[in-house]
Amino acid sequence: MASEIDGYRRSLGARSSESAVTVHRTGIGNRLLEALPPADLGLLTPYFQKVSFEPDAILVRSGDELDPVCFPHSGAIAFMLDMPDGQTVATTLMGREGALASFSVLGPSLSSVTAIARIAGTASLISAAKFRAAFAQSAAIRNVVQVHARAVLLQLQHVAACNALHRVDGRMARWLLQLHDRVPDDRLPVTHEALAQLLGVRRTTVTLTMSKLRDAGAVPSDRRGFVEIHRARLEKVACDCYALMQRKIDQMYCQELAAPQPVDAPSRESAIVAGGESRAASRAGK
């Protein structure tokens, strides 16, 4: 059962060793933040607090206020849509390339989805009010939020089409590849229960589908809460959505986050190396 965080607001104070979120000293490791010129980043860093989150921690529940804004440094966070019958299905996956609750720049609002940590990681938090103030002052911050919003929308569109049109084995392969893009290891710390929630299917369906992936050599083993993958073979099983979606997002990040900043914002030479294709290329020689 998922361990619930009663809102990020409590994570800003002292927490016990049994807590799902642990406070650390502030650090930067998020791609959106790395794309900011130093002066613009300086509008945010004095207010950051770094935390770590455990697997299955509920970071934002549907109906919660979008506050604070969370910039992951590592790990993977799934946005889950809760249905009236108790079922859930994932709509997007976010890691260090994104920002949870960044849409709060539009004004105070409530979350329409539940954000659950699927892979443990760390993040920097900033209150929505402080982030909105920096957003109003900085064209560079407005640019990264805009690019991120478009990337999230693109992922939502592809996942919706994929869920409607493609088989479970291809969809599972896509989710495993997306998780792998955010984990520096071929052994993914993910359970069958978590995969069932991502896919919106029963655990028995996950077990049967995992057997097919093992037969294809895409998943050498899946024991004790870990799924070992063979990336090249998994890419062959995955539906076309993964490569198409990742290519578009990578292109968007590389071209638009690295683009020259407007005249009213400082600029620096920066290249954002996005996850999917670069990870695939680096593993091709294995």
Side-chain angles (χ1 to χ4, degrees), residues 29-94:
N30 177 276
R31 285 177 179 157
L32 297 177
L33 298 179
E34 289 170 353
L36 293 175
D40 299 81
L41 182 60
L43 297 174
L44 303 174
T45 50
Y47 309 107
F48 276 146
Q49 187 165 34
K50 188 176 177 182
V51 302
S52 62
F53 47 84
E54 300 172 1
D56 294 331
I58 298 178
L59 308 181
V60 175
R61 185 176 289 280
S62 178
D64 284 353
E65 185 178 354
L66 290 173
D67 187 9
V69 180
C70 168
F71 290 89
H73 303 174
S74 60
I77 301 168
F79 290 3
M80 309 298 299
L81 186 63
D82 306 315
M83 304 304 292
D85 62 0
Q87 288 187 303
T88 62
V89 64
T91 59
T92 53
L93 195 67
M94 179 184 293

Side-chain angles (χ1 to χ4, degrees), residues 18-19 73 132 170 202 208 222 247 254 258 269 273:
E18 297 178 354
S19 172
H73 303 174
R132 281 194 291 270
R202 296 181 178 180
L208 292 172
D222 57 307
R247 182 168 60 251
C254 290
E269 294 184 359
V273 181

Side-chain angles (χ1 to χ4, degrees), residues 14 20 38 107 127 135 194 196 202 217 230 237 270:
S127 73
F135 178 87
R202 296 181 178 180
H230 187 294
V237 177
S270 172

Side-chain angles (χ1 to χ4, degrees), residues 190-208:
V190 61
T191 64
H192 281 203
E193 181 178 359
L195 287 171
Q197 292 177 353
L198 286 172
L199 289 159
V201 299
R202 296 181 178 180
R203 285 189 62 180
T204 53
T205 302
V206 172
T207 300
L208 292 172

Side-chain angles (χ1 to χ4, degrees), residues 60-253:
V60 175
R61 185 176 289 280
S62 178
D64 284 353
E65 185 178 354
L66 290 173
D67 187 9
V69 180
C70 168
F71 290 89
H73 303 174
S74 60
I77 301 168
F79 290 3
M80 309 298 299
L81 186 63
D82 306 315
M83 304 304 292
D85 62 0
Q87 288 187 303
T88 62
V89 64
T91 59
T92 53
L93 195 67
M94 179 184 293
R96 64 182 294 267
E97 79 288 348
L100 177 62
S102 62
F103 297 167
S104 62
V105 294
L106 301 177
S109 58
L110 305 182
S111 177
S112 59
V113 295
T114 297
I116 301 179
R118 285 307 176 201
I119 306 293
T122 60
S124 285
L125 309 182
I126 183 172
S127 73
K130 294 292 186 184
F131 188 64
R132 281 194 291 270
F135 178 87
Q137 295 180 58
S138 167
I141 293 176
R142 293 195 293 273
N143 179 61
V144 299
V145 170
Q146 181 184 45
V147 173
H148 174 54
R150 291 175 54 215
V152 170
L153 178 59
L154 190 152
Q155 188 177 167
L156 282 168
Q157 292 169 334
H158 277 274
V159 170
C162 184
N163 287 345
L165 299 175
H166 295 144
R167 301 185 315 181
V168 174
D169 55 345
R171 289 163 49 205
M172 182 183 288
R174 172 177 58 79
W175 281 121
L176 289 172
L177 287 168
Q178 287 184 261
L179 288 169
H180 192 226
D181 288 340
R182 295 162 174 86
V183 176
D185 198 329
D186 289 341
R187 294 178 72 245
L188 308 180
V190 61
T191 64
H192 281 203
E193 181 178 359
L195 287 171
Q197 292 177 353
L198 286 172
L199 289 159
V201 299
R202 296 181 178 180
R203 285 189 62 180
T204 53
T205 302
V206 172
T207 300
L208 292 172
T209 306
M210 196 64 72
S211 178
K212 292 181 180 179
L213 296 181
R214 282 198 304 271
D215 291 342
V219 175
S221 68
D222 57 307
R223 299 177 181 177
R224 299 177 182 177
F226 285 87
V227 176
E228 181 184 358
I229 71 164
H230 187 294
R231 186 173 180 102
R233 293 173 183 171
L234 194 64
E235 288 176 340
K236 292 181 180 180
V237 177
C239 57
D240 294 338
C241 291
Y242 171 76
L244 180 61
M245 175 177 64
Q246 196 60 58
R247 182 168 60 251
K248 288 182 178 180
I249 292 176
D250 288 354
Q251 184 178 30
M252 186 184 305
Y253 269 58

